[in-house]
Amino acid sequence: ALIQSENPYLPVIKEFNCIEDLLKVKKNQRILCFSTETDEDLQLETPYHSLLVGPEGGFSLNEIELLKNSENVVLQRCNIPIMKAEVAVPFGLGHLYNQHNKKSD
């Protein structure tokens, strides 16, 4: 649909086999990850470079700890606690798009 509508903001989708690989590759980028494992409400003020969508069934306890302890990953809760990938991707990309296109007041 993004191609058909000639949307200039096409996401680049990358698959990682483990959280450690993701954190190495994206170490200088802020990553937004929606999670039920946090009480932090969604904050649109912080600019993010990437969106992390987890696996079906959720992250393991070890992966959650790695994400929580990473300086560049921001875990945030949103009003929809569990989303399928086909909902999470456009939902998250909408937030990233909004942030990158905010006008200064």
Side-chain angles (χ1 to χ4, degrees):
L2 289 172
I3 294 170
Q4 186 178 23
S5 67
E6 297 180 11
N7 188 317
Y9 302 101
L10 296 176
V12 175
I13 299 172
K14 293 186 180 182
E15 184 176 336
F16 294 91
N17 292 324
C18 64
I19 295 294
E20 292 88 354
D21 290 347
L22 165 79
L23 296 175
K24 286 179 195 171
V25 171
K26 301 284 186 177
K27 66 182 174 186
N28 295 322
Q29 296 185 7
R30 292 195 42 88
I31 301 167
L32 172 61
C33 180
F34 299 116
S35 174
T36 58
E37 301 298 325
T38 184
D39 293 328
E40 297 293 322
D41 289 329
L42 183 60
Q43 299 173 11
L44 297 178
E45 295 81 31
T46 308
Y48 304 99
H49 302 97
S50 298
L51 170 68
L52 173 59
V53 176
E56 184 175 340
F59 294 107
S60 70
L61 294 176
N62 183 47
E63 291 171 329
I64 291 167
E65 285 305 311
L66 284 171
L67 293 172
K68 283 182 176 180
N69 293 324
S70 176
E71 292 181 13
N72 62 323
V73 176
V74 177
L75 294 177
Q76 296 199 338
R77 180 179 290 279
C78 62
N79 293 335
I80 306 168
I82 299 174
M83 293 183 262
K84 291 185 174 187
E86 51 273 4
V87 174
V89 171
F91 182 85
L93 290 176
H95 288 291
L96 293 177
Y97 174 81
N98 180 51
Q99 288 189 324
H100 286 282
N101 290 293
K102 280 186 176 182
K103 293 181 180 175
S104 299
D105 293 334

